Amino acid sequence: MITNTSESLRNSEVIKSGLLIAQGLKEKSQNYKKLLTEVLKWTAGQPLLTQKLCQLIVESSDSPPVGEEAEWFDNLVRHQLIDKWESLPELEHLRTIRDRLLRRNQRSVKLLKLYQRILRQEVVVANDTPEQNELRLLGLVVKQQGKLKTHNRVYEAIFSDAWIEKALKSQKSELEPTDTEFLRTLAELERKLLVSQVEILSQADNEAEDEGSAQALYQVLREVTAKVGSLLGADRATIYLLNDEKTELWSLVAENEEGEFLDIQVRVGEGIAGQVAQTRKVIHIANNVYEDPRAALVKEYDKKYHYKTENILALPVLDEHKEVVAVIQLLNKLQPDKSPDDSEQPIKPQGFTKLDLERLAKCVVPIRRILESCQSCYRVTKKLRATAALIEATRSLDQINLDTKAILQRVMNTAKKLMNADRSTLWLIDHDRGDLWTELPGKGEVRCPIGIGFAGQVAQAREPMIIPFDLYEHPSAENAKKTDEQTRYRTCSLLCMPVLSPDGELLGVTQLINKRKPGDFGEYNKDEWPIVPDFFKTSFDKNDQQSMQVFNERVGVVLQFVRTHETLKQLAQIEPQKAIYNALAVLSNSVLDQSDEALYNALYYLLSFISLTINKLLEAEHTTIFMLDAEETGFWSLVFEDEGSNASEIRISANLGIANKIVDSKAVQASSKPSKLNDVLIHRGITSKTLSSLHNLLLFPVLDQRGKVIAIVRSFNKFQSLDPSVPLAERIDSRGFTKTDAEKLQQCTTSMLPILQAFQSFHREIRVIQEQRQAIDPLYQAISFVSQSSGNPEDLIQKVMQAAKKLTNADRSSLWLLDHQTNELWTTIRQADGSWLETRVPMGEGFVGKVAQTVQAVNISFDLYDHPDSYMARQTDEKTHYRTCSLLCMPVLGSDGELLGVTQLINKRMAGEFPEYDSSAWPNVPDYFKVSFEEKDQKDMEIFNNQVGVILPGITNRSRGIQR
């Protein structure tokens, strides 16, 4: 609810004022309780209004006659408040409500129409639409028993039916948005989408946030659709997106009469939208829609969703290559002299016009950009969700034994949930029998020859297979039809993909059957076979295939661990089943955490398990495994440098010293005097104290199937006695490591190799995650910092600009706020002595003024003094003894597109630790200022400013610009 924050009083003042008013009421009338009752009848307890009406009673020149308190008070309210509210300074919040209602746009019309219905006591069910929420935030209406009612009599009297009619009449010319306004709205939606993408990607692996993140994406689509419909005066608008296979259009933004979102999917070539996608031509049916043969599906949908289409316009949205991206479909052109919020608005008989097409054509490019961004975000989200689904599956390993059948069932249940498939199967390859096998509930083991059926064909070709609805039309569907006839099931779509180990060996095939439409549908009813239920009439697409590719890569790692489980038992007697079981649990949890420490700690524990196993096998004291990196230029390993710390990475070059010799020769190396060897492979990860206690050394290269070195095992101190009570010098085997030790390791290489390759794969994932996080973390942290800020306005603005400064590595940052009364921008700038100086800039002057005037960003690279418009900056620098070298200046807009201010970032700094600018050195330029703001800085600030635009409207009357 809007309140005038400048009128807010401290608690002590409120108490004091309340006591004075209460005393005044008692003095005014002996029946003061009756007066107070009348006050509450008018205000319904609204604090500011209640206080104001009590004050009117106390300050009135006369007193109410006994028994006539109600009539006297009503007259007082109407003359002293209702008739004068626009001039009373203490009722600023009423004028704020007025201004919010009269913003002269489509939103205002909708708000006014909705409020008028509530005012006329029509039944309006509370369903949290944006308009309902805004009226409730304004305080005009309240929710009572699931319906909306006016808040109080004061609001009813001021914002009366007559007032609304007058307001609607004055806005009549504004009902149809101009092209400029529409393009500006699209720009706002595009900025909103950028912010949404950050939130969506950050929540994509969080199951609890998954539904909300998807809704954020759909909300952008819905708003674009609504704006397009509003621009052309359509009663209904739908935007269909084309899937990557270009076989199907889908939409989740259409609504029925109950306001529910409809899941609409149309095959290319079918229906009006499908024909537009296929032909890339506009379809306009001005009247008699149901008689047009192209509109057969329109009639079917109208019957299903209780609607009547009188005229229709559908046109394709093409990319720069003239390929279809989406189809916009508009139903029922409305009369232009009525509001689209009017449920009884007549439909224009002539349908849409040539002017409508021309107007829409002007806006196609920004619409296309938004739709392509939505598609891109949707694809990325699905990939992240696929990874999160596998993390969930691997995390569940701590609940079961390392049993192949149990793990496969758990993993594939997750895949079924992820892909929204009706059925899922994981077929494993049996190399001994040369076929595929799986376990089906109620049937036991089932086998499939290689090359037979869809799964067999995928196993043979090692290529994915995707068959859209309807699979029965596929030339190879006979086997599926026969199986369906036996099982009374209907196979409609399929996604079948190979599962490969990290080294490319075929391990199995994942098979997903029957993509289901979004929504809560029941199980397939066998009694209805072979009829296809509506929720099966959809297809797996390229996004699903890409997601399953990510999923299957991780499945391959899991299966590799499972397959080597029995072999690992032979490596040691330290309960390897439990060790791998715990290691996998740590691995999955660490990936869920995705912090550097958790990721490296997980990998360290996995490596240490193998190292301990080798220690046991060779009777060695220390073993370290150095893994070849993805670039094959160096080896890496992980160590704990201090007790209680996290694992850290150590690296050595693969092109120098002993490591290079081992890579070239692939030969085992041994030494009885390792402390004498001055080589990084010997010393890395070893403290100087430990180095003196090293007596012998074994360096063993681990080769892959191609004969290339992928790791070097480094073992120190061969023991002849494992008794810890014996002094170390006596336990050391003076013969050192022998050929027999190397042969033992060679025998274990086959078992170790897939595990070490899995470690390499996970290490690559860590690097990828780090790169992704480096790209998005600073921005997301800045936005989170702003979103979670609290406190007084001045502190909030300081936090905003601190975050912007840190985000872009700027030396100084300012937030200039717009003064609507003077049409100026103002802020405060820190002086050389540490004091603050208020500075004002007229609209259009200087870089800040021009950005405010044009609402366009300005990015000036080093050296700004070379810019033709640098005069004002030079003058300011001369006063402050600061040197401006580069600048990034960007507008801050409110959610309604209104200019709120300008963010100004001065002097991009080089990466690294550098001192503060020394004003005594002015006007010399320090080296660390000789850089410029980059395109990424501008992109990040565009997203960041959107968040600032959400926060600023409530504090612009009290805030101060802060420059740091």
Side-chain angles (χ1 to χ4, degrees):
M1 183 183 299
I2 291 180
T3 59
N4 187 354
T5 53
S6 64
E7 297 290 331
S8 299
L9 302 173
R10 297 182 183 275
N11 289 338
S12 60
E13 294 174 335
V14 171
I15 294 171
K16 181 178 179 181
S17 176
L19 292 173
L20 291 174
I21 289 174
Q23 182 63 34
L25 288 175
K26 290 182 178 180
E27 294 175 356
K28 202 69 177 177
S29 171
Q30 62 181 8
N31 201 3
Y32 66 91
K33 291 184 179 180
K34 173 64 175 176
L35 285 175
L36 187 57
T37 299
E38 294 301 318
V39 168
L40 295 177
K41 284 182 180 180
W42 273 90
T43 68
Q46 207 281 343
L48 288 175
L49 292 177
T50 301
Q51 184 180 26
K52 179 60 181 175
L53 293 190
C54 288
Q55 186 179 354
L56 286 178
I57 295 172
V58 172
E59 295 176 354
S60 175
S61 58
D62 61 337
S63 299
V66 177
E68 299 179 14
E69 289 84 1
E71 293 80 359
W72 177 87
F73 180 68
D74 286 353
N75 185 64
L76 177 69
V77 171
R78 296 190 183 279
H79 284 84
Q80 299 299 320
L81 188 141
I82 304 301
D83 295 343
K84 300 179 179 179
W85 66 274
E86 289 186 285
S87 61
L88 295 174
E90 61 268 35
L91 294 180
E92 176 65 27
H93 85 283
L94 291 176
R95 290 185 288 279
T96 301
I97 293 174
R98 174 201 63 193
D99 294 341
R100 292 284 290 274
L101 289 173
L102 302 179
R103 277 190 268 184
R104 292 194 175 276
N105 54 28
Q106 284 282 5
R107 178 89 168 193
S108 295
V109 173
K110 290 184 178 181
L111 287 175
L112 289 167
K113 283 282 189 179
L114 177 61
Y115 178 63
Q116 187 176 49
R117 290 176 57 201
I118 299 169
L119 187 64
R120 291 175 176 177
Q121 299 183 354
E122 295 181 24
V123 176
V124 176
V125 177
N127 54 14
D128 293 330
T129 64
E131 289 76 20
Q132 288 190 9
N133 288 338
E134 183 158 356
L135 287 179
R136 292 176 66 185
L137 287 172
L138 289 172
L140 281 173
V141 302
V142 293
K143 181 178 178 181
Q144 292 180 1
Q145 297 179 340
K147 298 179 179 62
L148 295 185
K149 306 289 183 184
T150 52
H151 189 176
N152 56 54
R153 288 177 62 191
V154 173
Y155 291 153
E156 290 176 3
I158 291 176
F159 305 109
S160 63
D161 195 275
W163 184 90
I164 293 174
E165 287 293 340
K166 182 179 178 181
L168 286 172
K169 186 176 180 180
S170 68
Q171 299 232 3
K172 184 176 181 180
S173 61
E174 304 292 332
L175 288 179
E176 190 168 315
T178 65
D179 297 344
T180 302
E181 289 173 340
F182 184 69
L183 289 171
R184 183 176 177 182
T185 299
L186 290 177
E188 294 166 13
L189 286 173
E190 199 167 359
R191 285 192 290 270
K192 178 178 179 180
L193 177 60
L194 289 172
V195 175
S196 297
Q197 284 177 328
V198 175
E199 296 174 353
I200 290 167
L201 294 177
S202 68
Q203 298 172 359
D205 59 352
N206 187 335
E207 185 176 355
E209 301 288 348
D210 183 51
E211 183 178 348
S213 63
Q215 286 299 319
L217 187 60
Y218 296 146
Q219 181 63 30
V220 174
L221 283 173
R222 290 197 290 269
E223 289 193 37
V224 174
T225 305
K227 296 299 180 184
V228 171
S230 174
L231 175 72
L232 300 187
D235 185 54
R236 293 270 178 98
T238 305
I239 295 180
Y240 293 93
L241 297 176
L242 186 65
N243 66 1
D244 289 338
E245 287 72 25
K246 303 187 184 304
T247 59
E248 193 173 68
L249 295 164
W250 63 273
S251 174
L252 287 174
V253 299
E255 295 184 38
N256 61 11
E257 292 180 345
E258 286 71 39
E260 298 171 335
F261 293 108
L262 309 177
D263 170 27
I264 298 178
Q265 291 171 316
V266 179
R267 298 176 74 180
V268 170
E270 294 184 355
I272 297 296
Q275 293 172 64
V276 169
Q278 187 176 59
T279 64
R280 291 181 289 185
K281 294 181 179 179
V282 174
I283 291 179
H284 178 213
I285 306 175
N287 47 51
N288 302 320
V289 172
Y290 296 155
E291 297 177 11
D292 194 304
R294 297 171 296 179
L297 278 181
V298 176
K299 186 175 182 180
E300 180 182 327
Y301 276 119
D302 283 358
K303 183 178 180 181
K304 181 177 180 180
Y305 297 118
H306 310 293
Y307 188 71
K308 184 177 182 181
T309 301
E310 298 287 352
N311 45 64
I312 186 169
L313 172 66
L315 73 161
V317 178
L318 306 179
D319 62 16
E320 60 270 19
H321 305 296
K322 306 301 180 183
E323 295 293 330
V324 176
V325 174
V327 173
I328 299 175
Q329 180 173 284
L330 305 167
L331 304 181
N332 293 349
K333 175 74 175 181
L334 303 174
Q335 295 284 8
D337 59 340
K338 296 258 184 169
S339 165
D341 193 54
D342 191 340
S343 59
E344 298 180 358
Q345 185 172 353
I347 295 164
K348 191 173 183 178
Q350 297 82 6
F352 298 90
T353 65
K354 183 179 178 181
L355 178 62
D356 292 327
L357 268 177
E358 292 173 351
R359 297 190 73 193
L360 193 54
K362 294 178 184 178
C363 309
V364 162
V365 173
I367 291 173
R368 187 191 73 205
R369 281 201 306 265
I370 294 174
L371 297 181
E372 288 177 335
S373 294
C374 286
Q375 285 277 46
S376 175
C377 185
Y378 178 70
R379 285 193 292 267
V380 172
T381 301
K382 289 195 70 175
K383 283 188 177 181
L384 292 174
R385 289 171 59 196
T387 302
L390 185 61
I391 291 168
E392 177 185 341
T394 53
R395 185 172 64 244
S396 67
L397 291 176
D398 61 0
Q399 302 171 12
I400 56 176
N401 294 322
L402 278 177
D403 174 74
T404 302
K405 296 177 182 179
I407 290 174
L408 300 188
Q409 188 63 43
R410 189 70 62 94
V411 170
M412 292 316 299
N413 282 343
T414 307
K416 174 181 170 182
K417 177 182 177 183
L418 168 70
M419 291 291 103
N420 199 27
D422 193 61
R423 293 187 177 182
S424 66
T425 307
L426 176 53
W427 298 85
L428 293 182
I429 190 164
D430 187 330
H431 291 284
D432 295 333
R433 297 179 54 167
D435 61 6
L436 299 168
W437 70 273
T438 190
E439 284 269 338
L440 296 179
K443 292 187 177 181
E445 186 175 287
V446 178
R447 290 187 172 267
C448 172
I450 301 292
I452 304 299
F454 296 124
Q457 292 174 39
V458 168
Q460 186 176 57
R462 293 164 59 114
E463 293 291 337
M465 178 182 293
I466 183 168
I467 303 177
F469 174 81
D470 184 0
L471 180 141
Y472 276 16
E473 298 172 5
H474 193 275
S476 303
E478 288 307 314
N479 193 41
K481 290 181 180 180
K482 290 179 181 179
T483 303
D484 284 358
E485 190 172 359
Q486 295 171 0
T487 61
R488 295 283 159 173
Y489 184 71
R490 182 58 161 86
T491 303
C492 301
S493 59
L494 175 139
L495 175 59
C496 205
M497 299 185 64
V499 178
L500 306 177
S501 69
D503 60 355
E505 180 187 0
L506 180 70
L507 300 177
V509 173
T510 53
Q511 180 175 278
L512 297 164
I513 295 176
N514 287 348
K515 178 80 172 180
R516 295 169 64 99
K517 290 184 178 181
D520 187 14
F521 302 102
E523 295 296 318
Y524 176 76
N525 186 356
K526 293 183 178 181
D527 296 335
E528 296 180 357
W529 181 87
I531 296 173
V532 179
D534 186 62
F535 55 86
F536 277 4
K537 293 179 180 179
T538 185
S539 307
F540 296 100
D541 58 23
K542 187 177 179 181
N543 291 322
D544 295 321
Q545 182 177 330
Q546 291 174 342
S547 297
M548 280 303 296
Q549 180 65 40
V550 175
F551 186 93
N552 280 7
E553 287 174 2
R554 299 292 299 276
V555 171
V557 174
V558 173
L559 291 180
Q560 192 78 295
F561 276 119
V562 174
R563 194 173 70 166
T564 57
H565 173 57
E566 291 301 322
T567 307
L568 286 170
K569 284 185 177 179
Q570 302 170 11
L571 289 175
Q573 296 82 40
I574 58 168
E575 299 181 316
Q577 177 176 338
K578 183 177 180 181
I580 298 177
Y581 165 99
N582 290 334
L584 284 173
V586 172
L587 169 63
S588 63
N589 287 332
S590 69
V591 177
L592 184 66
D593 182 349
Q594 290 200 349
S595 67
D596 287 348
E597 295 81 4
L599 292 167
Y600 278 124
N601 287 349
L603 193 51
Y604 170 82
Y605 289 124
L606 291 169
L607 277 171
S608 65
F609 167 69
I610 304 299
S611 299
L612 289 172
T613 302
I614 294 174
N615 279 345
K616 189 76 172 179
L617 181 70
L618 302 182
E619 297 180 328
E621 183 182 14
H622 302 291
T623 293
T624 304
I625 301 174
F626 288 90
M627 307 291 302
L628 188 66
D629 61 23
E631 295 79 17
E632 299 186 357
T633 59
F635 289 91
W636 59 268
S637 190
L638 297 171
V639 297
F640 274 108
E641 295 181 349
D642 300 307
E643 186 175 351
S645 65
N646 292 303
S648 59
E649 185 175 292
I650 57 173
R651 300 183 67 87
I652 63 171
S653 173
N655 303 316
L656 299 173
I658 297 176
N660 181 248
K661 292 179 181 179
I662 292 177
V663 169
D664 290 340
S665 67
K666 305 177 180 60
V668 178
Q669 303 286 329
S671 172
S672 59
K673 296 181 180 179
S675 59
K676 302 295 184 181
L677 298 174
N678 185 20
D679 189 275
V680 67
L681 179 57
I682 312 302
H683 296 181
R684 200 76 173 99
I686 300 295
T687 64
S688 56
K689 181 179 179 181
T690 305
L691 188 63
S692 61
S693 63
L694 301 180
H695 298 278
N696 42 57
L697 163 72
L698 176 68
L699 298 173
F700 180 85
V702 179
L703 309 183
D704 64 11
Q705 295 88 341
R706 300 168 297 168
K708 296 185 67 173
V709 176
I710 68 157
I712 297 176
V713 177
R714 182 186 71 184
S715 295
F716 289 117
N717 291 353
K718 170 75 174 181
F719 286 145
Q720 62 181 352
S721 171
L722 299 177
D723 186 355
S725 63
V726 178
L728 177 63
E730 297 178 16
R731 283 190 283 151
I732 297 296
D733 189 335
S734 59
R735 296 172 300 170
F737 293 97
T738 64
K739 184 179 179 181
T740 303
D741 294 316
E743 290 173 349
K744 287 181 180 179
L745 275 179
Q746 187 60 48
Q747 291 173 1
C748 297
T749 296
T750 303
S751 301
M752 284 195 300
L753 181 60
I755 302 172
L756 296 181
Q757 287 174 327
F759 293 168
Q760 281 186 313
S761 176
F762 187 52
H763 183 261
R764 284 194 295 270
E765 283 195 37
I766 293 177
R767 302 298 290 270
V768 170
I769 289 170
Q770 288 175 329
E771 291 173 3
Q772 292 174 341
R773 189 166 58 243
Q774 287 171 1
I776 198 171
D777 263 13
L779 174 60
Y780 185 67
Q781 288 172 5
I783 289 177
S784 298
F785 184 61
V786 171
S787 301
Q788 298 169 9
S789 296
S790 60
N792 62 57
E794 289 80 5
D795 288 343
L796 178 59
I797 293 177
Q798 285 193 33
K799 287 185 178 181
V800 167
M801 297 320 300
Q802 285 171 1
K805 178 179 170 183
K806 182 178 179 181
L807 172 64
T808 58
N809 197 28
D811 190 62
R812 292 189 177 183
S813 63
S814 304
L815 177 58
W816 296 78
L817 299 179
L818 179 62
D819 187 330
H820 291 279
Q821 293 182 344
T822 64
N823 203 30
E824 293 176 322
L825 294 151
W826 66 274
T827 189
T828 50
I829 299 177
R830 187 174 62 183
Q831 304 301 292
D833 62 359
S835 62
W836 295 86
L837 174 68
E838 181 177 305
T839 302
R840 286 182 173 264
V841 175
M843 184 75 75
E845 289 191 13
F847 297 120
V848 171
K850 288 181 179 179
V851 168
Q853 187 177 56
T854 63
V855 199
Q856 297 293 323
V858 170
N859 188 347
I860 302 177
S861 58
F862 175 80
D863 183 3
L864 180 140
Y865 277 15
D866 297 333
H867 194 278
D869 297 328
S870 63
Y871 176 73
M872 190 171 183
R874 290 170 180 264
Q875 278 192 324
T876 304
D877 284 358
E878 190 170 356
K879 294 178 183 178
T880 61
H881 274 229
Y882 183 72
R883 181 57 161 84
T884 303
C885 301
S886 59
L887 175 140
L888 177 58
C889 205
M890 301 186 67
V892 179
L893 305 178
S895 58
D896 58 357
E898 180 185 6
L899 180 71
L900 300 176
V902 173
T903 53
Q904 179 176 265
L905 299 166
I906 297 176
N907 289 348
K908 176 81 173 180
R909 294 170 64 96
M910 287 184 179
E913 295 293 331
F914 298 101
E916 294 293 319
Y917 177 75
D918 184 1
S919 59
S920 65
W922 181 84
N924 294 333
V925 179
D927 288 339
Y928 54 86
F929 277 4
K930 295 178 179 179
V931 288
S932 305
F933 292 99
E934 301 170 354
E935 184 179 349
K936 183 179 185 301
D937 295 319
Q938 185 168 335
K939 194 77 171 178
D940 286 348
M941 280 303 298
E942 183 178 0
I943 300 172
F944 180 80
N945 278 7
N946 275 285
Q947 189 64 40
V948 177
V950 173
I951 297 170
L952 276 180
I955 62 173
T956 50
N957 291 332
R958 295 185 58 198
S959 59
R960 295 183 297 129
I962 302 296
Q963 177 165 354
R964 300 196 63 80

